[in-house]
Amino acid sequence: MRTMVTTFSYPSSTYFVRSCSIRENHDQVKQPVNTGIRTNGSFRSPIKVETLSKIAGTTSTTLGQAVTVDENGLRQNIPTKKQLVDPHRQGLITEGGVGYRQTVVIRSYEVGADKTATLESILNLLQETALNHVWMSGLLGDGFGATHGMVRNDLIWVVSRMQVLIDYYPIWGEVVEIDTWVGASGKNGMRRDWLIRSQATGHIFARATSTWVMMNRKTRRLSKMPEEVRAEVAPWFIEKQAIKEDAQEKIVKLDKEAKYMNSDLKPKRSDLDMNQHVNNVKYVRWMLETIPDQILERHQLSSITLEYRRECGSSDIVQSLCEPEEDEKLHGVVEPDYCTNLLNGLSSDIINGSGVLTYLEQRPLRYTHLLQIKGEKQNDEIVRGRTRWKRKIVTMPFST
Amino acid sequence: MRTMVTTFSYPSSTYFVRSCSIRENHDQVKQPVNTGIRTNGSFRSPIKVETLSKIAGTTSTTLGQAVTVDENGLRQNIPTKKQLVDPHRQGLITEGGVGYRQTVVIRSYEVGADKTATLESILNLLQETALNHVWMSGLLGDGFGATHGMVRNDLIWVVSRMQVLIDYYPIWGEVVEIDTWVGASGKNGMRRDWLIRSQATGHIFARATSTWVMMNRKTRRLSKMPEEVRAEVAPWFIEKQAIKEDAQEKIVKLDKEAKYMNSDLKPKRSDLDMNQHVNNVKYVRWMLETIPDQILERHQLSSITLEYRRECGSSDIVQSLCEPEEDEKLHGVVEPDYCTNLLNGLSSDIINGSGVLTYLEQRPLRYTHLLQIKGEKQNDEIVRGRTRWKRKIVTMPFST
């Protein structure tokens, strides 16, 4: 079996491995990959790990607040034992000992112009809860998600794919519960899923899933999951899936014929994380900023899929390409009487009642995206994306 | 008495009133101000208000989680009664009924390259706790801080000045307590202060203070505080001050001779808040990005003072000017052996032991800042700033 994998990192550092293959009989993939990538070693990964024996043998304690100083003079505050409850973060272990749930109140600076949480805030909260899940395990060594077994094998987690579906955006002050858990993905990968729901009603606001593989921190090669690590990780895997996908649709690669393009995007100091790599949320911002204002004003993102390809460093010059998958005129990029003309062309049963609304809702606006690094000879892909958009209810012109 | 006031808004919308004077015998200042400013009416202000009688008559309840839908189809979640405890935000009323304290865990995406909370995160948390203080009062009408009396009088709060002193930056996962309260500032103004401390040790990490005045939302003129509003607000005033200031130092206005300048700064969609104005945190980012990387890598901000002048809209082109107040060579913008030469020129008692450290600490690096809107005829000031920086301990070259 040869499994094609594209690997990257999450939330912020992406590593360049384009379509490498994992060979089952080798602990590490021999296929050479780009080694000219800056990395400072540490890495944020949302993996949740603990051996089953440890789960069974641990009693619930609250997070110790002792702050120690590490070898670099930095104060550290990482629990050394598994925690079942984190009263400060309002987190707890669920799913019979392997899942994590955190209660979060949407903050004033996490909402946008319409008083609802921004996509960026939601992505941040996914990262936060994933890391808190690991944090609770008591196995977190350096603060960035590698298990002890992974540290011993010089392995890091890199994310290859992420999908977020958002039905409702929580509003400022709303209390949400975020559940996250991990599962197997093929023989050597891991899936991490999330559910965001209203605490008041239990209504599900958003679902998300992501896929992870292991990479050797030094060689930058993909790696099989060593048995040592599997023993740590596998006991945490559960079957539950936040998003049911029959088959993953491929995201096509855009080229210079794309309808929209923002060029000369330069990372700023504040866009960089501690690895001096561009933060994942910045990627999404660059992607969405290519969509016309007319669309962004009337629509909200209902789905985003990201396929990570390589990292982006502080000196890279980035291009953001964007292509609508159907006629944008249906969705707000219109001449004043376009809607009337459109209606004239529709059959009367569609127009009647909520028919037009249904018609538009059944044809969500879709965009394909590409972020790439502008190179002298060729452009290197950072991330491909696909977004779906639905009309904001408040500005729906036909919602009478 | 004529009190000179410069007024602006916080956290995101600043209103143009340059050095207006409040006349005691008029409810509203007659001095004309720029009226060509976009505003959508709503406004985020951290004012905390409730009449004393209401305080006395209210029992502690927890925040209701009912989400209602307002006239615009937006879900709302604002308590209609005073709350003494907010278990979800881990907030409670303090100071005998007039102050507010919230326990916060520093999140993974709130820290920067050195694993400590960024200045932006700290500013966000100040805004958040201030608004939650108002939220708890049960008097919050539109979600942006105006009291019922202010709404009746078409008044909004605008911030004129803000100062933040940071001794220690909390680290990722650290639990901090943020206290905030309000006090009188002159006859018609209000002061809001904050303290951020370690929950584990009680050690104070940061102190902040801000000054606020009232403005008529429609005329854009400064206003005296109507008696009706004073009756709401004054019972909440306490004398305590987070920062003891003998006299406020004036921040000089920079001109085109400033040593550093970033031009053509353009707000992006994601920099705008719900009033389509540039967010306050973006101002600070623009300010600090003019400081040389060499300085930013080795230093951390220990103090920032902001004097707000006017708002910045989505179509404005912004310039960020920056001038060091002393020789930067002392602080890291150095040739390789500059430190040695510097030491040779110092007296031995300064060099001995921690003498050099003390010497450098006693002379913090200071910068003056100016953000202005590039206009055809003249440049309009947005905000003046002053920052102080101290060496990061981990990179202190003399700390043996």
Side-chain angles (χ1 to χ4, degrees), chain B residues 271-284:
Chain B
D271 301 325
L272 302 179
D273 67 5
M274 67 178 72
N275 288 330
Q276 304 299 308
H277 297 138
V278 176
N279 187 280
N280 196 43
V281 168
K282 184 72 182 184
Y283 291 165
V284 173

Side-chain angles (χ1 to χ4, degrees), chain A residues 4-184:
Chain A
M4 294 304 286
V5 193
T6 49
T7 47
F8 330 93
S9 73
Y10 172 81
S12 50
S13 313
T14 51
Y15 298 87
F16 177 60
V17 184
R18 238 180 302 173
S19 300
C20 293
S21 59
I22 296 181
R23 278 167 284 180
E24 286 191 333
N25 299 327
H26 298 78
D27 271 358
Q28 295 198 353
V29 179
K30 299 297 187 297
Q31 182 171 337
V33 296
N34 186 322
T35 55
I37 294 175
R38 277 151 295 149
T39 173
N40 298 338
S42 65
F43 177 71
R44 302 183 198 179
S45 154
I47 187 172
K48 171 70 177 72
V49 286
E50 179 124 7
T51 61
L52 204 54
S53 60
K54 287 197 179 178
I55 298 173
T58 311
T59 56
S60 171
T61 56
T62 58
L63 271 185
Q65 291 313 313
V67 174
T68 57
V69 178
D70 73 3
E71 68 277 13
N72 297 317
L74 283 172
R75 286 166 295 148
Q76 296 281 327
N77 186 19
I78 300 172
T80 51
K81 288 192 293 186
K82 187 190 180 194
Q83 315 290 322
L84 297 184
V85 180
D86 180 347
H88 293 296
R89 292 198 181 90
Q90 305 193 63
L92 74 161
I93 292 295
T94 58
E95 304 280 354
V98 296
Y100 177 71
R101 174 178 297 163
Q102 186 172 337
T103 304
V104 172
V105 186
I106 302 302
R107 293 177 177 171
S108 57
Y109 55 88
E110 294 175 329
V111 301
D114 58 1
K115 295 189 190 176
T116 67
T118 62
L119 175 64
E120 293 175 21
S121 299
I122 288 172
L123 293 176
N124 280 334
L125 288 173
L126 298 186
Q127 170 190 318
E128 173 69 9
T129 48
L131 284 163
N132 292 344
H133 190 190
V134 192
W135 185 289
M136 294 280 277
S137 75
L139 284 184
L140 198 56
D142 63 355
F144 290 91
T147 71
H148 295 322
M150 290 173 71
V151 171
R152 279 191 291 272
N153 287 273
D154 259 328
L155 295 175
I156 55 176
W157 285 106
V158 288
V159 65
S160 59
R161 189 169 181 278
M162 182 145 188
Q163 184 180 18
V164 185
L165 308 182
I166 304 174
D167 286 335
Y168 298 95
Y169 284 80
I171 62 166
W172 177 17
E174 194 149 14
V175 184
V176 297
E177 286 176 351
I178 306 178
D179 279 297
T180 184
W181 65 92
V182 290

